[in-house]
Amino acid sequence: MPTPPTTPQPGAATAARAGAGGRSRPWGDVVLGSLSTGAAITIVLLLAMIVLIVVVSAWPSIKAYGLPFLTESTWRPNELEETLRDPQGRIVYDDDGEPKTVIEPASFGAAPFIWGTAVSSALALIVAVPLSIGAALFIVRVAPRLRIAEPLGFLIEFLAAIPSIAYGIWGIFVLRPFLEKHLEPALRWLLGDLPFMRWMFFRTLADGTEVPIPLTGRDMLAGGLILAVMIIPIITAVSRDVLRTVPRAQVEGVLALGGTWWQSCAAMLRYGRAGLFGAVMLGLARAAGETMAVTMVIGNVNQISLSPLAPAQTMSSLLAMDAGDPNNPLHFSSLFYIALILLVMSLVFNVIARWLVVGSKARTFGS
Amino acid sequence: MNVEMTKDVVRMTVTPGNPPQPSSPTARPPRVAVGPSPAMRAGSVLQAIREGASVTSAVHPSVHAHPAAVDIRGFELWYGSFKALHSVSMPIPRGRVTAMVGPSGCGKSTLLRSINRMNDLVDGVRTTGALHVGEHDVYAGGVDVISIRRRVGMVFQKSNPFPMSIFDNVVYGLRIYGERRKDVLQECCERALRQAALWDEVKDRLKQSAIGLSGGQQQRLCIARSIAVNPEVLLMDEPCSALDPIATQKIEELIREIAEKLTVVIVTHNMQQAARVSNYTAFMYLGRLVEFGSTADIFQNPQLPETEQYVTGRFG
């Protein structure tokens, strides 16, 4: 008599496991799944908290100054005791024969720093964009023939990884003396006598007299140049990737029509123009947010001057200088207001850049 | 025996001091064709090629009925150490459509791209032999590659309109040659678009982007762009392989029409297409020209059974 099987058939067992799997997931999946979900939520919360703290901390300053904060050019963290003068400019004395004084309250405005950030970033772009796009074109069109595309690409990515303080040290000990001793005197020698270039070398005092701006090498030009060095890697790397996505048929189409090598390069740049613009925006975002190296060479003077040879201050360098020891609650709050401006600006630049770069890749691969 | 070492025979036609004169019928190269022999077994030529032997191309006498627009003599090409073309000799008749057919990797695109020196873009390309476009030796030392490419237009497998308006696309070639007069550009644009049978479809939107056109329209635009500069020869590298049957039909009609004014060389994988559009057909295999003759002969009365097998789809 055959004994009935004591164990279920293999097929039945598999079916049972599959059925169980369909109803409840293994506990390892559950744990890892919730861990990674938790990590993602943590990051989003962290970002939300930072934005919230910045907005809340900036609120007193936002309430006090509103949007005119952006165009106000006074940044005076301390109360100012000033001698009172009558409308004719004479000192007013009190009954004891002492000069009367008035207390000017602390006052804050972001204009010098917005100006500083805008001009230093613009200088950086003027220097960095032609160099970076030229280098990217070299890597895509020339370097492969010489078998140096890979090492060059690696070097450029390495440049992007150098900590900004290293650039700062180089700025102080190499760039600044070079500007002070060579470049700026040469500029003054070359352009100083031209009447329409006086704005660059002289500043006008309150009483209307013009005095020469001292050439120190710690000025807007130094800030712009060091930013240029720092954003060249990212613009080059992204431009190279954009140019690599230009279809070969575009280049061949120009050459087959009897175009020159340069005309085919121009076609390449034209095809990738949206992505290249995105690369420039990424560079701009980095230039606007860059802090340490700029703080070390820009001169740290809270003023608006047309001249690139005058010292200046950017939003981020101001935060680095002032954040350690705010004088009063409004100072503290105004620093956060500036941080908020920086944050919104970087967000806008990055969103535009990503939209352009990703969009250009989608157009290339989609068509 | 139709398989033999014939390199020397072909080389004779390209010895220095005896420059080919393609447009002169008296200077016709010696025909090196081999007629079908009763003893020949089907596949023996292709087998010999696969074993690396040199074979004589079966070039029909009918290809000499017209002067050659492109005269290729003993042309060989290497990509690095890989020999992609083996002593190809073929006179491409002027004012006719010549199709190049053969299985993938047979070198037909390489040969096509040798005519306007597009292979220069590839690293490590070397060539020997002679290739003339009209009177001009394409591979002579110090030759102006740009002027060669202005004589030899090219249409690619995938349409490649530039990201600019339809008008700017068509006149691109003229502009890079320095033409700035607006009336000249407009006239050339209309003429080229009419020749490419695209004028009626786009005349109201010349200023719009060319990227918005359909695939077939884009390819006809690329043809218009190539013929706008009045080339002597138009090379077409599988111009219909990415198109639907209706767009393909339009391009084929177009090829027959423009061939009245210039010489067309077309690479195709589609035997019916070669039969429909071409006057002459060249069958290539592994870098060798196997047989070259009028399309009617190649398809109905080829000298080699291998050619017949290929064009009827029994091999390849």
Side-chain angles (χ1 to χ4, degrees):
Chain A
M1 182 175 149
T3 53
T6 50
T7 52
Q9 295 295 314
T14 312
R17 269 205 299 277
R23 279 192 297 276
S24 70
R25 294 156 61 207
W27 66 271
D29 282 13
V30 175
V31 170
L32 282 176
S34 25
L35 272 180
S36 68
T37 309
I41 289 173
T42 308
I43 287 170
V44 173
L45 278 181
L46 212 56
L47 183 66
M49 267 163 57
I50 289 171
V51 173
L52 188 72
I53 295 286
V54 168
V55 172
V56 166
S57 307
W59 192 247
S61 179
I62 295 174
K63 226 167 53 183
Y65 299 110
L67 278 182
F69 183 78
L70 304 179
T71 54
E72 170 57 49
S73 59
T74 313
W75 181 268
R76 194 174 56 229
N78 300 308
E79 292 177 341
L80 188 65
E81 193 175 350
E82 261 196 297
T83 313
L84 184 66
R85 288 166 188 270
D86 67 8
Q88 282 75 44
R90 287 170 306 208
I91 297 170
V92 178
Y93 295 94
D94 64 7
D95 298 340
D96 303 329
E98 294 288 317
K100 270 193 172 173
T101 56
V102 285
I103 303 288
E104 296 271 348
S107 171
F108 300 95
F113 320 115
I114 295 176
W115 170 262
T117 297
V119 174
S120 61
S121 305
L123 280 175
L125 288 186
I126 289 169
V127 175
V129 168
L131 281 175
S132 309
I133 293 185
L137 206 49
F138 177 85
I139 292 174
V140 175
R141 291 299 302 274
V142 183
R145 236 162 233 253
L146 308 173
R147 317 220 179 283
I148 55 172
E150 289 310 310
L152 250 177
F154 171 77
L155 272 181
I156 282 159
E157 270 145 32
F158 180 69
L159 269 182
I162 293 177
S164 76
I165 193 77
Y167 284 104
I169 290 284
W170 174 78
I172 282 185
F173 292 111
V174 181
L175 182 64
R176 193 194 64 76
F178 174 75
L179 290 183
E180 185 186 4
K181 302 225 168 60
H182 303 289
L183 186 65
E184 290 175 358
L187 276 178
R188 189 154 70 181
W189 176 79
L190 211 65
L191 307 169
D193 294 333
L194 300 174
F196 56 88
M197 292 300 290
R198 287 186 76 79
W199 58 271
M200 197 163 161
F201 302 98
F202 295 90
R203 67 195 172 98
T204 313
L205 298 180
D207 59 3
T209 55
E210 280 189 332
V211 295
I213 296 171
L215 304 181
T216 60
R218 293 170 68 96
D219 48 32
M220 189 75 96
L221 181 63
L225 287 181
I226 207 160
L227 281 178
V229 175
M230 297 179 77
I231 64 177
I232 280 173
I234 185 163
I235 303 183
T236 307
V238 178
S239 302
R240 176 197 59 186
D241 293 347
V242 166
L243 292 181
R244 275 189 181 155
T245 63
V246 173
R248 205 183 155 80
Q250 288 284 321
V251 177
E252 289 187 341
V254 174
L255 291 175
L257 276 170
T260 59
W261 185 85
W262 166 242
Q263 281 162 340
S264 74
C265 286
M268 221 171 176
L269 295 177
R270 187 177 45 241
Y271 193 89
R273 60 191 185 272
L276 293 176
F277 191 68
V280 171
M281 291 301 278
L282 278 178
L284 181 59
R286 169 131 200 234
E290 190 47 60
T291 309
M292 263 341 283
V294 179
T295 310
M296 291 160 85
V297 297
I298 201 162
N300 316 106
V301 175
N302 306 342
Q303 64 175 11
I304 296 181
S305 169
L306 271 181
S307 172
L309 303 180
Q313 188 82 290
T314 66
M315 288 192 269
S316 42
S317 66
L318 172 84
L319 293 180
M321 298 289 289
D322 278 23
D325 187 18
N327 290 13
N328 50 58
L330 201 55
H331 188 196
F332 172 84
S333 174
S334 295
L335 290 174
F336 270 98
Y337 197 168
I338 287 185
L340 183 65
I341 298 170
L342 255 181
L343 201 145
V344 170
M345 215 174 63
S346 306
L347 184 74
V348 170
F349 287 162
N350 272 299
V351 166
I352 293 175
R354 258 159 228 285
W355 178 64
L356 288 172
V357 173
V358 174
S360 81
K361 281 186 184 157
R363 275 191 294 283
T364 304
F365 296 127
S367 66
Chain B
M1 189 71 180
N2 65 314
V3 180
E4 55 194 43
M5 302 301 287
T6 55
K7 263 178 159 176
D8 295 338
V9 179
V10 179
R11 283 260 169 82
M12 271 166 55
T13 65
V14 292
T15 44
N18 178 21
Q21 292 167 321
S23 52
S24 155
T26 52
R28 219 175 262 170
R31 192 162 81 80
V32 287
V34 173
S37 90
M40 190 168 58
R41 284 174 293 112
S44 61
V45 171
L46 304 187
Q47 180 60 37
I49 290 175
R50 281 194 291 273
E51 285 163 5
S54 290
V55 300
T56 312
S57 305
V59 178
H60 298 208
S62 59
V63 301
H64 298 293
H66 295 271
V70 179
D71 198 23
I72 304 167
R73 309 239 184 141
F75 190 76
E76 310 205 312
L77 184 143
W78 288 261
Y79 292 120
S81 59
F82 173 70
K83 192 172 183 181
L85 292 176
H86 295 252
S87 191
V88 174
S89 295
M90 60 186 285
I92 295 175
R94 186 183 300 277
R96 290 290 181 273
V97 181
T98 299
M100 295 192 200
V101 301
S104 298
C106 71
K108 53 195 190 302
S109 281
T110 297
L111 184 59
L112 188 81
R113 294 163 70 89
S114 298
I115 298 173
N116 64 346
R117 289 191 61 165
M118 287 307 275
N119 285 326
D120 288 12
L121 304 181
V122 183
D123 265 355
V125 165
R126 281 181 305 119
T127 62
T128 61
L131 201 160
H132 284 71
V133 172
E135 307 295 315
H136 303 268
D137 185 350
V138 175
Y139 285 87
V143 71
D144 181 4
V145 178
I146 286 167
S147 77
I148 296 289
R149 291 188 185 139
R150 288 177 186 185
R151 299 168 174 281
V152 184
M154 186 161 196
V155 174
F156 296 83
Q157 186 169 3
K158 201 164 154 251
S159 62
N160 56 348
F162 301 141
M164 48 177 80
S165 74
I166 293 169
F167 177 81
D168 290 339
N169 260 283
V170 178
V171 302
Y172 185 88
L174 293 161
R175 281 206 173 123
I176 62 175
Y177 303 172
E179 182 59 67
R180 288 284 174 277
R181 285 167 293 170
K182 208 160 182 181
D183 52 328
V184 175
L185 293 179
Q186 275 167 345
E187 194 194 314
C188 287
C189 174
E190 179 171 347
R191 184 173 45 78
L193 284 172
R194 281 191 191 281
Q195 282 178 358
L198 192 58
W199 175 252
D200 290 331
E201 290 164 60
V202 300
K203 65 183 174 199
D204 298 324
R205 45 173 175 153
L206 293 175
K207 295 290 164 207
Q208 288 177 24
S209 169
I211 308 297
L213 297 174
S214 73
Q217 287 174 326
Q218 284 189 8
Q219 193 61 298
R220 276 181 283 151
L221 178 69
C222 292
I223 294 173
R225 189 174 67 191
S226 296
I227 60 182
V229 295
N230 278 320
E232 296 165 20
V233 180
L234 185 62
L235 310 177
M236 306 182 104
D237 192 356
E238 297 182 48
C240 303
S241 63
L243 300 179
D244 62 71
I246 291 171
T248 300
Q249 190 192 344
K250 283 186 180 167
I251 302 268
E252 289 179 0
E253 283 167 14
L254 178 55
I255 291 170
R256 283 193 294 268
E257 278 166 31
I258 58 177
E260 292 166 10
K261 299 186 183 67
L262 44 81
T263 307
V264 176
V265 187
I266 178 171
V267 162
T268 180
H269 271 125
N270 182 331
M271 290 309 118
Q272 286 79 29
Q273 182 170 70
R276 283 192 298 262
V277 302
S278 70
N279 307 105
Y280 295 91
T281 297
F283 169 49
M284 294 183 67
Y285 185 69
L286 290 183
R288 280 86 164 174
L289 176 64
V290 177
E291 185 162 358
F292 179 36
S294 76
T295 299
D297 287 343
I298 293 289
F299 278 84
Q300 284 150 23
N301 188 23
Q303 293 184 1
L304 303 178
E306 291 84 353
T307 305
E308 189 189 5
Q309 287 193 345
Y310 184 74
V311 297
T312 53
R314 273 180 280 155
F315 133 78

